[in-house]
């Protein structure tokens, strides 16, 4: 009996070791800083999966472009070098214009609109990622984008000869139509770019500017909340399909919770950043009506071009968005 008990214990230990060895240890690469709320949300997502699967899926988050830079992440996931990635949807606009919808200026009025727009575009976005062997899990929402300058501006006439930061095809188009010159600058390089005169202005969130101590190099924040950029978090489809149904269900539920949490985190982070900028001497103001009128005209031009590029699919997404808003 004693011998039988020992054999049972040995078999149990062997099975446990075998199960541990078969646990999926997945890498998630993100270009966004460890201190950002989007990275905090992604890490919470990973923690919930680790807990919900009893360690069967263990996701390690490598943030701050420590493993791959943004342009390299999609390819790394497709080729199974890593399991998951997080990148700005708008950065894939050259692959398919559908990815750039959330970057259309002034298509949304607030973060509620941004969430409605995303819900309308989710299926079309997931279908396009699927063609590249990627399965969409959820999105992280950034705060509304504001205009930051070192000097006050009333209209586009004052922007001739100025240089503005661009980060994707849509911001490049926006800056061009503003009459300014676009300069590609990564987030971490923004302070140095301002201080050395490489750029004179930018569109980004109050949260990013506060995190980078923008009061050291900018004076005015025009509170346009022009669009709400979205990060896509996706997984290699073959690796996803290899999981059992229960594990996929656990991950899906964690992804849904992360997406919902992201929108509320964006709101809270914006409130905190607004106050931080004001406390440090930045003038956070509403843009002049003339300037807003010019911006909205650009937004209409860009949306018309986007609709022509996306055809019936794009029109269907916009129709669903307008119906949902009503």
């Amino acid at each position: 009996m004693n011998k039988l008990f020992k054999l049972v214990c040995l078999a149990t230990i062997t099975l446990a070791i075998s199960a541990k060895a078969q646990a999926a240890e997945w890498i998630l690469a993100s270009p966004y800083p460890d201190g950002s709320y989007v990275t905090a949300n992604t890490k919470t997502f990973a923690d919930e999966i680790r807990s919900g699967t009893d360690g069967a899926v263990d996701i390690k988050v490598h943030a701050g472009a420590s493993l791959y830079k943004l342009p390299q992440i999609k390819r790394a996931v497709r080729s199974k070098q890593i399991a998951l990635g997080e990148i700005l949807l708008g950065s894939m606009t050259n692959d398919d214009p559908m990815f750039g919808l959330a970057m259309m200026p002034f298509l949304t009025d607030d973060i509620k609109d941004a969430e409605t727009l995303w819900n309308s575009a989710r299926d079309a976005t997931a279908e396009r990622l699927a063609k590249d062997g990627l399965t969409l899990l959820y999105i992280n929402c950034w705060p509304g984008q504001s205009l930051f300058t070192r000097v006050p501006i009333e209209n586009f006439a004052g922007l001739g000869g100025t240089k503005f930061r661009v980060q994707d095809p849509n911001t490049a188009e926006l800056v061009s139509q503003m009459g300014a010159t676009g300069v590609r600058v990564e987030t971490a390089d923004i302070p140095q770019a301002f201080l050395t005169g490489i750029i004179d202005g930018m569109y980004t969130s109050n949260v990013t500017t506060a995190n980078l101590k923008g009061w050291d190099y900018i004076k005015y924040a025009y509170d346009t909340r022009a669009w709400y950029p979205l990060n896509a978090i996706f997984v290699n489809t073959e690796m996803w399909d290899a999981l059992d149904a229960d594990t996929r269900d656990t991950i899906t539920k964690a992804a849904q919770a992360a997406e919902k949490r992201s929108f509320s985190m964006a709101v809270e982070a914006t409130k905190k950043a607004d106050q931080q900028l004001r406390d440090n001497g930045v003038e956070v103001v509403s843009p002049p009506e003339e300037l807003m009128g010019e911006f909205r005209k650009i937004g209409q031009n860009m949306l018309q071009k986007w609709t022509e590029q996306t055809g019936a699919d794009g029109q269907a997404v916009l129709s669903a968005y307008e119906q949902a808003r009503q």
Side-chain angles (χ1 to χ4, degrees), residues 13-24:
I13 293 171
T14 301
L15 286 172
I17 293 173
S18 176
K20 182 69 175 177
Q22 295 175 12

Side-chain angles (χ1 to χ4, degrees), residues 20-224:
K20 182 69 175 177
Q22 295 175 12
E25 294 187 357
W26 282 359
I27 300 298
L28 189 158
S30 168
Y32 304 105
D34 255 324
S36 68
Y37 75 84
V38 294
T39 299
N41 193 32
T42 298
K43 287 185 175 182
T44 298
F45 165 72
D47 290 342
E48 290 180 350
I49 291 172
R50 190 178 303 109
S51 174
T53 63
D54 293 325
V57 177
D58 186 7
I59 297 176
K60 305 294 186 185
V61 178
H62 291 255
S66 58
L67 195 59
Y68 295 101
K69 294 184 181 299
L70 188 150
Q72 303 168 325
I73 291 175
K74 182 180 179 182
R75 184 180 303 165
V77 177
R78 288 181 63 185
S79 60
K80 295 185 183 179
Q81 296 176 62
I82 53 176
L84 307 103
E86 175 173 6
I87 64 174
L88 182 73
L89 264 179
S91 68
M92 298 186 287
T93 299
N94 285 337
D95 297 339
D96 192 301
M98 184 64 73
F99 292 128
L101 177 60
M103 309 290 281
M104 290 293 107
F106 306 105
L107 181 56
T108 56
D109 290 334
D110 52 33
I111 198 164
K112 182 179 179 181
D113 277 353
E115 188 170 7
T116 301
L117 180 63
W118 166 242
N119 288 333
S120 302
R122 175 190 294 278
D123 290 346
T125 303
E127 287 171 7
R128 282 155 175 77
L129 287 172
K131 292 177 182 178
D132 284 332
L134 306 171
T135 295
L136 176 69
L137 294 178
Y138 71 98
I139 60 96
N140 265 326
C141 180
W142 289 102
Q145 304 294 283
S146 295
L147 175 67
F148 295 88
T149 63
R150 293 189 292 185
V151 296
I153 57 173
E154 295 292 330
N155 50 46
F156 289 166
L159 298 180
T162 59
K163 294 167 288 186
F164 272 69
R165 177 208 181 204
V166 299
Q167 52 189 315
D168 65 273
N170 288 312
T171 51
E173 178 68 17
L174 172 63
V175 168
S176 175
Q177 292 200 33
M178 286 165 53
T181 300
V183 180
R184 176 82 189 198
V185 176
E186 298 301 329
T187 301
D189 300 325
I190 287 174
Q192 186 69 9
F194 269 105
L195 292 170
T196 57
I198 293 174
I199 56 175
D200 305 296
M202 64 179 175
Y203 250 114
T204 191
S205 71
N206 289 12
V207 173
T208 295
T209 306
N211 288 343
L212 295 173
K213 297 183 178 179
W215 45 85
D216 289 338
Y217 46 86
I218 60 103
K219 181 65 176 175
Y220 298 92
Y222 292 97
D223 193 17
T224 57

